[in-house]
Amino acid sequence: MKKLGFIVCGLFMACSIFAQKKQLSHEELVTWKQIENPTISNNGEWVAYSLKAEEGDAILKVWNAESGKTYTFDRGEESTFSSDSEYLIFKIHPQEDSLKTLRRKDVIKEDLTKDSLGILKLSDQSLVKIADVKSFTVPEKWSGWVIYHKEIEEVKKEKPAIDSTAVAEPDSAKMEKPKKKRIKKEGKKSGTKLVLHQLATGQEEVVGYVLDYKVAEAGPRVLFNSTGNDSTLLEGVYLYDCERQNLTPMWRQKGKYSQLSLDEKGEQIAFCANLDTAKAQVPPIALCYFKNGLDSAKIIADESAQFLPKDWLVSDNASPDFSKDGSKLYFGIAPPPILQDTNLLDDEIVNVEVWSYTDGRLYTQQAKQLNSEKKRTYQSVWHITENKFTNIGSEELPETLKGDEGNSDLAIA
């Protein structure tokens, strides 16, 4: 009986303590901070993480294992250590309250306050801030540089000062004046500045009108495509060697370039090019390739390639991908899309959606996945040394995986 009474008493006390615990309210839930993006430096001496609540600004914490000190940086997120563990690079977001105030005033997205880039030197905790940064990349296996892409820079026109003493020119003189050259504006289609920043010296190499860029994993090389500035840089794809600090053109021609890719050391590159000037409904995509020793990139596959199934095309909906050892290049191919007859009027087009119970997927699922299905690609591989192409995927085998980081000759369905 004594044991039973002791157990009952213990349960009663536990229930009483549990009942006294305060329930979390909505206000506490939205202020509950979570640890995001925890990362550790390669030498194991530094740890960085962000504390982020559902509402409010994030706080970046940087802890040193040797001293035990923790350093705090307001609004810091997306932190990454440099490969040599000497720097921490992170985004500094604008104050959330300030952004909400601007949105309430119906300020357009382009005029909202943009992110900044923070470069923290860990040895002395000195911090460099760079405004209006859209994205950044810290090389994974080589150090000394950070590459960042700037936001669109608006060019403000200055109004000429009015000279009250000036004499009006005759109409004939106005006609003889040469037209001022239009300044190219930055934008989503024309690109923005790409900056290659040396961490030790702060020296920067700036390239204008860049649309996209990629950084090699283990070699000091950066690949980018630019729409050109009509003077010193023509439209095309370029490779920058950070070690030698020189720029090499891969391909200079008017066109659309996408899906930039490098092998691990940056010694081989690949990209998709749309060089069609006739604006065809289905533009022919060319797969371009470069390796050390070539003067420039070359086309290795396009719509006329013999290895393609009948009427199939090289696709720019999949990024070319080198195997770990650099001996193979994987890329996407696809059948021609079904095109709508542009000669028909709107009221002549029959818009019917058909689903059968025998279909493997529900109609709602099919509708949701329609866009991805239109962009579906099937895997093909180029054996670089042998100059041999092999189609791995097909409509009968749509899903494939690369084995052994792409080094394997077989694909696993």
Side-chain angles (χ1 to χ4, degrees):
M1 287 295 294
K2 289 183 179 180
K3 290 183 178 179
L4 180 60
F6 180 77
I7 293 172
V8 172
C9 182
L11 290 172
F12 177 77
M13 291 176 63
C15 292
S16 299
I17 294 171
F18 180 77
Q20 291 174 6
K21 288 185 177 180
K22 182 182 177 181
Q23 293 183 350
L24 294 176
S25 64
H26 173 72
E27 181 180 351
E28 290 161 329
L29 288 173
V30 297
T31 57
W32 190 285
K33 291 182 172 62
Q34 294 182 340
I35 295 176
E36 294 185 352
N37 191 38
T39 180
I40 185 169
S41 62
N42 286 337
N43 63 6
E45 292 183 5
W46 296 89
V47 174
Y49 59 91
S50 293
L51 293 177
K52 176 70 174 174
E54 187 175 338
E55 293 182 3
D57 299 320
I59 300 174
L60 176 65
K61 298 284 187 177
V62 184
W63 176 76
N64 180 249
E66 186 176 348
S67 66
K69 290 184 179 179
T70 300
Y71 304 89
T72 301
F73 301 91
D74 294 335
R75 307 189 310 280
E77 295 185 63
E78 304 174 40
S79 58
T80 305
F81 287 103
S82 61
S83 178
D84 57 9
S85 304
E86 293 186 6
Y87 294 87
L88 179 69
I89 298 90
F90 56 93
K91 278 278 192 77
I92 304 173
H93 294 302
Q95 290 184 341
E96 189 173 311
D97 290 342
S98 300
L99 288 178
K100 286 182 177 180
T101 301
L102 293 173
R103 291 191 186 103
R104 289 189 183 100
K105 294 179 181 180
D106 294 329
V107 175
I108 61 175
K109 185 178 179 181
E110 288 74 15
D111 291 340
L112 292 175
T113 309
K114 304 298 191 299
D115 293 338
S116 297
L117 185 70
I119 302 176
L120 177 67
K121 189 175 182 180
L122 296 170
S123 60
D124 59 9
Q125 293 298 304
S126 59
L127 179 64
V128 175
K129 295 181 181 180
I130 301 171
D132 300 332
V133 173
K134 177 168 56 176
S135 66
F136 74 94
T137 300
V138 178
E140 187 174 341
K141 295 181 181 179
W142 52 281
S143 57
W145 296 74
V146 59
I147 295 87
Y148 62 89
H149 208 179
K150 295 279 285 183
E151 292 278 3
I152 297 171
E153 184 178 336
E154 297 292 338
V155 179
K156 295 182 179 180
K157 294 181 179 180
E158 295 183 0
K159 293 182 179 180
I162 299 174
D163 186 0
S164 57
T165 61
V167 180
E169 295 180 349
D171 293 339
S172 57
K174 293 179 181 179
M175 293 294 290
E176 294 173 0
K177 280 187 176 182
K179 292 183 179 180
K180 291 183 178 180
K181 189 177 181 180
R182 293 182 62 183
I183 300 174
K184 185 175 180 179
K185 293 183 179 180
E186 294 183 343
K188 291 182 179 179
K189 293 184 178 180
S190 58
T192 59
K193 293 182 180 67
L194 181 70
V195 183
L196 299 99
H197 179 99
Q198 288 193 53
L199 293 170
T201 64
Q203 182 179 343
E204 294 185 334
E205 182 74 27
V206 182
V207 184
Y209 306 103
V210 172
L211 292 170
D212 191 19
Y213 72 98
K214 287 290 184 296
V215 178
E217 181 181 337
R221 291 187 166 188
V222 181
L223 182 68
F224 64 87
N225 64 314
S226 171
T227 60
N229 57 14
D230 301 325
S231 56
T232 58
L233 193 73
L234 299 177
E235 183 173 358
V237 179
Y238 294 84
L239 184 67
Y240 186 82
D241 190 317
C242 294
E243 188 174 47
R244 299 177 181 177
Q245 298 188 33
N246 69 321
L247 187 66
T248 304
M250 298 289 98
W251 195 283
R252 288 183 291 189
Q253 184 179 345
K254 189 172 183 180
K256 294 181 180 179
Y257 305 93
S258 60
Q259 306 293 5
L260 307 179
S261 178
L262 303 98
D263 69 357
E264 187 176 32
K265 296 181 179 179
E267 296 175 350
Q268 300 180 96
I269 72 166
F271 57 91
C272 293
N274 174 10
L275 307 174
D276 178 46
T277 57
K279 297 183 179 180
Q281 283 186 284
V282 183
I285 302 299
L287 179 63
C288 301
Y289 168 81
F290 169 86
K291 69 174 181 179
N292 286 350
L294 295 177
D295 293 331
S296 61
K298 62 179 182 179
I299 294 176
I300 59 169
D302 55 17
E303 75 279 6
S304 62
Q306 297 296 316
F307 69 89
L308 288 172
K310 186 179 180 181
D311 298 328
W312 280 44
L313 301 167
V314 175
S315 176
D316 59 352
N317 290 321
S319 177
D321 184 30
F322 288 95
S323 60
K324 182 77 172 179
D325 61 9
S327 65
K328 301 176 185 66
L329 175 63
Y330 295 87
F331 60 98
I333 60 175
I338 300 173
L339 301 177
Q340 184 176 322
D341 189 348
T342 56
N343 294 319
L344 295 175
L345 300 174
D346 291 341
D347 56 0
E348 294 176 329
I349 298 173
V350 179
N351 190 4
V352 179
E353 296 176 343
V354 181
W355 177 82
S356 170
Y357 72 94
T358 58
D359 289 353
R361 290 175 293 173
L362 294 173
Y363 165 72
T364 51
Q365 186 181 7
Q366 292 180 19
K368 188 175 182 179
Q369 297 176 345
L370 178 61
N371 190 49
S372 60
E373 286 295 328
K374 288 181 179 179
K375 295 181 178 180
R376 177 183 285 277
T377 62
Y378 303 89
Q379 199 168 83
S380 187
V381 60
W382 179 43
H383 300 261
I384 299 173
T385 305
E386 298 88 348
N387 192 24
K388 176 185 175 183
F389 291 87
T390 303
N391 297 327
I392 302 173
S394 64
E395 292 179 304
E396 291 75 26
L397 186 63
E399 302 293 340
T400 58
L401 296 174
K402 297 188 291 291
D404 189 24
E405 299 184 274
N407 298 336
S408 174
D409 289 331
L410 299 176
I412 304 172

Coordinates of all heavy atoms in Angstrom, one line a residue, residues 380-408:
S380 N 22.0 11.7 -72.3 CA 22.9 11.2 -73.3 C 24.3 11.5 -72.7 O 24.5 12.4 -71.9 CB 22.7 11.9 -74.6 OG 23.6 11.3 -75.6
V381 N 25.3 10.8 -73.2 CA 26.7 11.0 -72.7 C 27.7 11.0 -73.8 O 27.5 10.2 -74.8 CB 27.0 9.8 -71.6 CG1 27.0 8.5 -72.3 CG2 28.4 10.1 -71.0
W382 N 28.7 11.8 -73.7 CA 29.8 11.9 -74.7 C 31.0 11.4 -74.0 O 31.5 12.0 -73.0 CB 29.9 13.3 -75.1 CG 31.0 13.5 -76.1 CD1 31.4 12.7 -77.2 CD2 32.0 14.6 -76.1 NE1 32.5 13.2 -77.8 CE2 32.9 14.4 -77.2 CE3 32.2 15.7 -75.3 CZ2 33.9 15.2 -77.5 CZ3 33.2 16.6 -75.7 CH2 34.1 16.3 -76.7
H383 N 31.6 10.3 -74.5 CA 32.9 9.8 -74.0 C 34.0 10.7 -74.7 O 34.2 10.5 -75.9 CB 33.0 8.4 -74.4 CG 32.0 7.5 -73.7 ND1 32.2 6.8 -72.6 CD2 30.7 7.3 -74.1 CE1 31.1 6.1 -72.3 NE2 30.2 6.4 -73.2
I384 N 34.6 11.6 -74.0 CA 35.4 12.6 -74.6 C 36.6 12.1 -75.3 O 36.8 12.5 -76.5 CB 35.8 13.6 -73.5 CG1 34.6 14.2 -72.8 CG2 36.7 14.7 -74.0 CD1 34.9 15.1 -71.6
T385 N 37.4 11.2 -74.7 CA 38.6 10.7 -75.4 C 38.3 9.9 -76.6 O 38.9 10.1 -77.7 CB 39.4 9.8 -74.4 OG1 39.6 10.5 -73.2 CG2 40.7 9.4 -75.0
E386 N 37.2 9.1 -76.6 CA 36.9 8.3 -77.7 C 36.0 9.0 -78.7 O 35.7 8.5 -79.8 CB 36.1 7.0 -77.3 CG 36.9 6.1 -76.4 CD 36.8 6.4 -74.9 OE1 36.3 7.5 -74.6 OE2 37.3 5.7 -74.1
N387 N 35.5 10.2 -78.4 CA 34.6 11.0 -79.2 C 33.4 10.1 -79.6 O 32.9 10.1 -80.7 CB 35.3 11.5 -80.5 CG 34.4 12.6 -81.2 OD1 33.5 13.2 -80.6 ND2 34.6 12.7 -82.5
K388 N 32.8 9.5 -78.6 CA 31.7 8.6 -78.8 C 30.5 9.0 -78.0 O 30.6 9.3 -76.8 CB 32.1 7.1 -78.4 CG 31.0 6.1 -78.4 CD 31.5 4.8 -77.9 CE 30.3 3.8 -77.8 NZ 30.8 2.5 -77.2
F389 N 29.3 9.0 -78.7 CA 28.0 9.4 -78.0 C 27.2 8.2 -77.7 O 27.1 7.3 -78.6 CB 27.3 10.4 -78.9 CG 27.9 11.8 -79.0 CD1 28.9 12.0 -80.0 CD2 27.6 12.8 -78.1 CE1 29.5 13.2 -80.1 CE2 28.2 14.0 -78.3 CZ 29.1 14.3 -79.3
T390 N 26.5 8.2 -76.5 CA 25.7 7.1 -76.2 C 24.4 7.7 -75.6 O 24.5 8.4 -74.6 CB 26.3 6.1 -75.2 OG1 27.5 5.6 -75.7 CG2 25.4 4.9 -74.9
N391 N 23.2 7.3 -76.1 CA 22.0 7.7 -75.5 C 21.6 6.7 -74.4 O 21.4 5.6 -74.7 CB 20.9 7.8 -76.6 CG 21.2 8.8 -77.6 OD1 21.8 9.8 -77.4 ND2 20.8 8.5 -78.9
I392 N 21.5 7.2 -73.2 CA 21.2 6.4 -72.0 C 19.7 6.4 -71.8 O 19.0 5.4 -71.7 CB 21.9 6.9 -70.8 CG1 23.4 6.9 -71.0 CG2 21.5 6.0 -69.6 CD1 24.2 7.5 -69.9
G393 N 19.1 7.6 -71.7 CA 17.6 7.7 -71.4 C 16.8 7.6 -72.7 O 17.3 7.9 -73.8
S394 N 15.5 7.3 -72.5 CA 14.6 7.2 -73.7 C 13.2 7.4 -73.1 O 13.0 7.5 -71.9 CB 14.7 5.9 -74.4 OG 14.4 4.8 -73.6
E395 N 12.2 7.4 -74.0 CA 10.8 7.5 -73.5 C 10.4 6.3 -72.7 O 9.5 6.3 -71.9 CB 9.9 7.8 -74.7 CG 10.1 9.2 -75.3 CD 9.2 9.5 -76.4 OE1 9.2 8.7 -77.4 OE2 8.4 10.5 -76.4
E396 N 11.1 5.2 -73.0 CA 10.8 3.9 -72.3 C 11.6 3.9 -71.0 O 11.2 3.2 -70.1 CB 11.2 2.7 -73.1 CG 10.3 2.5 -74.4 CD 10.6 3.4 -75.5 OE1 11.7 3.9 -75.6 OE2 9.7 3.7 -76.3
L397 N 12.7 4.6 -70.9 CA 13.5 4.7 -69.7 C 13.8 6.2 -69.4 O 14.9 6.7 -69.6 CB 14.8 4.0 -69.9 CG 15.8 3.8 -68.7 CD1 15.1 3.0 -67.6 CD2 17.1 3.2 -69.1
P398 N 12.7 6.9 -68.9 CA 12.9 8.3 -68.7 C 13.8 8.8 -67.6 O 14.4 9.8 -67.6 CB 11.4 8.8 -68.5 CG 10.7 7.6 -67.9 CD 11.4 6.4 -68.6
E399 N 13.8 7.9 -66.5 CA 14.6 8.3 -65.3 C 15.9 7.5 -65.3 O 15.9 6.3 -65.3 CB 13.8 8.1 -64.1 CG 12.5 8.8 -64.0 CD 12.7 10.3 -63.9 OE1 13.8 10.8 -63.5 OE2 11.7 11.1 -64.3
T400 N 17.0 8.2 -65.2 CA 18.3 7.5 -65.0 C 19.1 8.2 -64.0 O 19.0 9.4 -63.7 CB 19.1 7.5 -66.4 OG1 19.3 8.9 -66.8 CG2 18.3 6.8 -67.5
L401 N 20.1 7.5 -63.4 CA 21.0 8.0 -62.4 C 22.4 7.7 -62.9 O 22.7 6.6 -63.4 CB 20.7 7.4 -61.0 CG 19.4 7.8 -60.4 CD1 19.2 7.0 -59.1 CD2 19.3 9.3 -60.1
K402 N 23.3 8.6 -62.5 CA 24.8 8.3 -62.9 C 25.4 7.6 -61.7 O 25.2 8.0 -60.5 CB 25.5 9.6 -63.1 CG 25.0 10.4 -64.4 CD 25.8 11.5 -64.7 CE 25.8 12.7 -63.7 NZ 24.5 13.4 -63.7
G403 N 26.1 6.6 -62.0 CA 26.8 5.8 -60.9 C 28.2 6.3 -60.7 O 28.9 6.8 -61.7
D404 N 28.7 6.2 -59.5 CA 30.1 6.5 -59.2 C 30.5 7.9 -59.6 O 31.5 8.2 -60.3 CB 31.1 5.5 -59.8 CG 32.5 5.7 -59.3 OD1 32.7 6.2 -58.2 OD2 33.4 5.3 -60.1
E405 N 29.6 8.9 -59.3 CA 29.7 10.3 -59.7 C 30.0 10.5 -61.1 O 30.7 11.4 -61.6 CB 30.9 10.9 -58.8 CG 30.7 10.9 -57.4 CD 31.7 11.6 -56.6 OE1 32.7 10.9 -56.3 OE2 31.6 12.8 -56.3
G406 N 29.3 9.7 -61.9 CA 29.4 9.8 -63.4 C 30.6 9.1 -64.0 O 30.7 9.0 -65.2
N407 N 31.5 8.5 -63.2 CA 32.6 7.8 -63.7 C 32.2 6.4 -64.3 O 32.9 5.9 -65.2 CB 33.7 7.5 -62.7 CG 34.2 8.9 -62.2 OD1 34.2 9.9 -62.9 ND2 34.7 8.9 -60.9
S408 N 31.1 5.8 -63.8 CA 30.6 4.5 -64.2 C 30.1 4.6 -65.7 O 29.6 5.6 -66.1 CB 29.5 4.0 -63.3 OG 29.0 2.8 -63.8

